[in-house]
Amino acid sequence: MLNRFSLATLGLIFSLAASQAAQPVVIAHRGASGYLPEHTLEAKALAHAMGADFLEQDLVLTKDDVPIVMHDIQLETISDVATKFPDRKRADGHYYALDFSLAEIKLLQAHERVNLKTGQAVYPGRFPLGKSSFQIPTLEEELQLIAGLNKSRGRNVGIYPEMKQPAWHRKQGHDLSKIVLPILRRYGYATKKDECWVQCFEWDEVKRIRAELGWEGRLLLLLGPTSRNPDGSDSSRWFTAEGLREAAKYADGVGPALNSIVSGKSKADRQVTDFVKNAHAAGLAVHPYTLRADDLPKIVDSMDDALSLLFTEAKIDGLFSDFPDLAVQWRDKNASR
């Protein structure tokens, strides 16, 4: 008779085999942000129509503790806040979402991300600045949209919320994770069977979400593109086999930058690293970020080349992309190969 350890080991093996045999998922990075302004409801609706498996939500809080969907804790790069509220910037020159009520946020027009030094769009080939009308949505507005599209289109597209700088929020007197998780549960995202991944760059917050706040759904530890995370914390330990085993005590997956998966200075010397192999050995899914058709890594010569390298050679489990249609088309065309 198998002892308890053997049964647990077999369960892990079968779980890993099933997850690695499954078709990799395509995560719409900030929606279909290659075509419409990032994190707008319009970008999410387009990504849904394009066949994305998950839609990402970066989350920050307003002054009245409403989670809104935007990538940064500051507003000026994706909205007209400096025009509408010129006197509301902090001493550091930034306009923080946390200093505005939801009613004030709703007065803003969202637009393509701009380079504040030049005033030009970061990606000039994308949706033109100053055209049409877009807003910054709340988390609940987006969840309602996705639920409606899932019903009307007969799909079950998942969500992929990120807690943006939760430690910073707490220092400001606001608890982002504690506010967001009950909303997710109320909308039916509560267990690992539900189509939801919660992600965060901060290891202490990942542990807190799992242990203190009791999150039972899927959880992903994001890793910075270098040995430092965006908040300045050290992320080098997570790129070792031992570190990944430690991450697996709380997380179900890891989200590194693309250069952690494939390295090199050109196509001629590119190679797949051991990261995915080590993460899979620890029982972790690997969902790297971010593949952009208009900003490809130097080690690939086309979007198809990049997708083949990542899906076929590196064997990742999922991918964040601003162009979810291209990733879905390639994956579905090559799924049987």
Side-chain angles (χ1 to χ4, degrees), residues 65-79:
D65 281 336
V66 178
I68 57 175
V69 186
M70 51 182 282
H71 182 263
D72 304 313
I73 57 175
Q74 300 99 357
L75 289 155
E76 61 266 23
T77 58
I78 53 88
S79 79

Side-chain angles (χ1 to χ4, degrees), residues 162-202:
E162 179 185 345
M163 307 298 185
K164 299 297 292 190
Q165 299 191 36
W168 178 87
H169 274 88
R170 286 203 305 280
K171 287 179 181 178
Q172 304 290 316
H174 300 258
D175 196 331
L176 176 63
S177 298
K178 198 169 185 178
I179 291 169
V180 168
L181 293 179
I183 295 174
L184 297 182
R185 294 185 182 106
R186 191 165 75 247
Y187 279 85
Y189 303 105
T191 74
K192 293 182 183 181
K193 294 181 180 179
D194 303 315
E195 295 301 310
C196 172
W197 283 84
V198 170
Q199 56 178 332
C200 187
F201 276 103
E202 299 173 17

Side-chain angles (χ1 to χ4, degrees), residues 238-249:
W238 309 119
F239 295 95
T240 66
E242 181 180 1
L244 289 166
R245 288 193 295 271
E246 181 183 356
K249 295 176 182 178

